[in-house]
Amino acid sequence: MGSVIEGKNIIKEFTLADIVSRILDQINVDVLEGEFVSIMGPSGSGKSTLLYLLGGLDKPTSGEILLKGKNIAIMNDEEKSIMRRRDIGFVFQFYNLIPNLNVEENILLPVLLDGKSAKNFEEELDEILHIVGLNERRKHTPRELSGGQQQRVAIARALINSPDLILADEPIGNLDSKTGTEIMELFKRINTEKKKTIIQVTHSQEAARYGNRVIQLKDGRVI
């Protein structure tokens, strides 16, 4: 198994009123194909910052982030946008669905933004809707769905372009415990059956157990 994503000597600093704060300090991570990794740590430890850097949503102050061997830290904005659409699927705590689009349209959004035809993804759409259990809700809008169903749409949207990597930021943080368990079971199924590499940020020990490895952060360092 090769590396899907690797961070080398990552430093992230923010400057406010001439005061420099180091959020991440010499972070080294290496996630292999097919792994399900949980990033854990207390509030303010840099978990979400690390996830956003790995996904190219933010830029490190120094260090390298290699996605399939390509250093995304030095990509320009257009290259990063293409990478995020094609190579990485994102799942956020608050779903980030478009309210006036139905389930199908929300799922297909990355395809359309990438300039592809939705008609060419009908098979993939049907398969993904089956995996996430939303076949009967495909024409519903987000306001007609429960929180758990909305998160399933977000997961389906992350899968539609068949990315190498799925990044999830507190994916069950806005859900009740029963629904959260169902969502984590779905992530585990996607990891094992679809062979997708997943990195999640979580506060939950229970959620972390669905993965096969935990990275613990404290004060911006791996411990």
Side-chain angles (χ1 to χ4, degrees):
M1 288 190 299
S3 294
V4 171
I5 194 157
E6 186 178 2
K8 295 183 177 181
N9 301 316
I10 298 171
I11 293 175
K12 181 62 179 178
E13 296 175 338
F14 292 102
T15 302
L16 182 62
D18 296 327
I19 298 173
V20 178
S21 298
R22 182 164 289 193
I23 308 302
L24 294 174
D25 190 8
Q26 298 287 343
I27 297 291
N28 289 281
V29 295
D30 189 7
V31 178
L32 304 178
E33 292 177 13
E35 279 200 292
F36 187 166
V37 175
S38 300
I39 301 174
M40 300 192 73
S43 296
S45 61
K47 303 185 301 296
S48 292
T49 299
L50 177 57
L51 195 77
Y52 296 158
L53 291 174
L54 294 176
L57 296 173
D58 198 1
K59 188 175 180 179
T61 304
S62 64
E64 294 184 332
I65 299 168
L66 305 176
L67 178 67
K68 292 280 190 170
K70 295 180 180 178
N71 188 2
I72 68 176
I74 60 172
M75 289 181 180
N76 62 36
D77 289 343
E78 183 180 357
E79 289 170 332
K80 283 184 182 178
S81 293
I82 292 170
M83 174 206 69
R84 288 193 295 263
R85 290 196 301 268
R86 298 178 183 176
D87 302 323
I88 301 176
F90 294 91
V91 180
F92 298 100
Q93 181 175 346
F94 293 104
Y95 325 132
N96 289 3
L97 303 180
I98 307 299
N100 60 335
L101 299 183
N102 65 29
V103 167
E104 284 185 351
E105 292 165 339
N106 265 289
I107 294 171
L108 289 168
L109 196 57
V111 169
L112 301 178
L113 290 173
D114 207 27
K116 299 171 184 172
S117 170
K119 288 185 178 180
N120 295 333
F121 283 79
E122 289 179 357
E123 268 187 45
E124 289 89 344
L125 178 63
D126 288 343
E127 180 189 2
I128 290 169
L129 282 167
H130 176 71
I131 289 169
V132 300
L134 289 175
N135 266 317
E136 296 179 358
R137 298 279 183 167
R138 60 199 301 156
K139 298 299 183 182
H140 290 229
T141 58
R143 66 177 64 88
E144 299 172 291
L145 304 176
S146 67
Q149 288 169 336
Q150 289 185 63
Q151 193 61 296
R152 288 173 183 270
V153 177
I155 293 168
R157 181 182 59 194
L159 287 170
I160 190 64
N161 266 328
S162 192
D164 295 315
L165 176 66
I166 295 175
L167 301 179
D169 189 13
E170 296 284 3
I172 62 170
N174 204 35
L175 302 172
D176 62 77
S177 59
K178 179 178 179 295
T179 306
T181 297
E182 293 171 355
I183 292 299
M184 292 312 304
E185 293 285 354
L186 176 58
F187 272 117
K188 187 64 177 177
R189 181 182 170 196
I190 290 166
N191 173 245
T192 55
E193 294 182 13
K194 301 287 288 182
K195 309 299 182 186
K196 293 299 178 185
T197 306
I198 300 173
I199 304 175
Q200 69 161 341
V201 161
T202 182
H203 280 97
S204 167
Q205 291 280 356
E206 185 176 342
R209 291 191 191 103
Y210 284 88
N212 51 27
R213 182 157 64 98
V214 175
I215 296 172
Q216 289 277 1
L217 291 185
K218 185 177 181 182
D219 298 329
R221 289 177 173 268
V222 175
I223 58 172

